[in-house]
């Protein structure tokens, strides 16, 4: 039988009433503690990267630029490519996994949310997590919200304040709530 963390990452339903839920809760608490350290006073870029490396339990490349405040709801399933820029005030809930490609720009107050609850009242203590994949060279405008299971194709732009609840193809500009394709990205 799979461990609760494996089941959660695989997109299987997980209940907060399960005996093993403490494993998820422990990781959430760890993420809260590291996020608090990150957001308490000025940190150099090197200190920020060290805390994000501790949060994700990975070695980060020195090209990550993340401006606090930043909040992670889990941490261990978050992966950054090279030359990624994350602006201030972002929140990433990565229980389902968040993969951010190379050369991605993430505007202020962006939320990447991989976990959702059941819709029926009797199912709300059950969560299902699905991954978010942000392709290479994507730009997420200020206040964008990306919901569970979404992939955004390379070179695409998501307009400020948009809510992305479905996949967005490569090389397009999308905006709105829910986000819809407006036009192609201009050629160089």
């Amino acid at each position: 039988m799979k461990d609760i963390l494996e089941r959660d990452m695989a997109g299987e339903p997980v209940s907060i009433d399960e005996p093993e839920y403490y494993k998820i809760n422990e990781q959430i608490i760890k993420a809260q503690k590291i996020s608090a350290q990150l957001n308490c006073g000025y940190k150099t870029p090197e200190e920020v990267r060290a805390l994000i490396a501790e949060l994700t339990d990975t070695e980060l490349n020195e090209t990550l630029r993340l401006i606090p405040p930043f909040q992670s709801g889990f941490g261990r399933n978050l992966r950054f490519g090279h030359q990624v820029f994350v602006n201030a005030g972002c929140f990433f809930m990565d229980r389902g996994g968040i993969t951010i490609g190379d050369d991605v720009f993430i505007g202020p107050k962006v939320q990447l949310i991989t976990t959702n609850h059941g819709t029926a009242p009797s199912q709300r203590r059950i969560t299902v997590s699905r991954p978010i994949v942000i392709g290479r060279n994507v730009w997420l405008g200020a206040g964008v919200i990306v919901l569970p299971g979404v992939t955004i194709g390379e070179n695409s732009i998501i307009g400020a304040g948009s809510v992305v609840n479905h996949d967005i193809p490569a090389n397009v500009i999308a905006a709105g709530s829910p986000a819809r394709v407006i036009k192609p990205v201009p050629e160089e």
Side-chain angles (χ1 to χ4, degrees):
M1 186 166 185
K2 289 182 192 173
D3 171 89
I4 195 168
L5 296 170
E6 294 170 321
R7 290 180 31 238
D8 194 41
M9 188 69 169
E12 296 177 19
V14 169
S15 173
I16 64 173
D17 298 320
E18 292 183 41
E20 276 195 307
Y21 191 80
Y22 76 90
K23 293 178 181 180
I24 291 174
N25 199 50
E26 285 175 349
Q27 184 62 36
I28 291 169
I29 290 168
K30 176 184 175 186
Q32 289 172 336
K33 288 178 180 178
I34 294 170
S35 294
Q37 289 176 324
L38 180 65
N39 298 326
C40 184
Y42 173 76
K43 301 287 186 285
T44 66
E46 295 78 20
E47 291 170 323
V48 169
R49 281 191 295 276
L51 285 165
I52 297 298
E54 182 182 348
L55 175 72
T56 61
D57 199 26
T58 63
E59 288 188 37
L60 292 178
N61 67 75
E62 68 278 354
T63 65
L64 173 65
R65 188 157 168 242
L66 186 146
I67 299 177
F70 174 80
Q71 183 74 34
S72 171
F74 203 65
R76 70 183 270 161
N77 298 330
L78 179 57
R79 299 295 177 263
F80 294 97
H82 285 75
Q83 301 291 340
V84 171
F85 174 73
V86 180
N87 212 322
C90 292
F91 176 77
F92 295 176
M93 167 43 80
D94 61 291
R95 278 178 46 192
I98 296 173
T99 303
I100 299 170
D102 295 342
D103 302 305
V104 169
F105 287 92
I106 298 178
K109 299 191 182 240
V110 166
Q111 298 177 57
L112 305 178
I113 311 295
T114 65
T115 302
N116 204 353
H117 295 268
T119 53
S122 64
Q123 300 297 308
R124 295 212 182 121
R125 295 176 69 81
I126 295 172
T127 60
V128 175
S129 299
R130 294 180 22 233
I132 290 174
V133 177
I134 309 296
R136 185 184 65 77
N137 207 34
V138 165
W139 174 16
L140 302 178
V144 166
I145 299 172
V146 181
L147 297 176
V150 168
T151 295
I152 299 175
E154 68 178 27
N155 301 318
S156 287
I157 299 169
I158 308 297
S162 297
V163 177
V164 186
N165 64 357
H166 57 84
D167 291 352
I168 300 295
N171 302 304
V172 299
I173 298 172
S177 180
R180 68 187 197 306
V181 174
I182 307 293
K183 62 184 177 181
V185 171
E187 293 185 29
E188 302 202 26

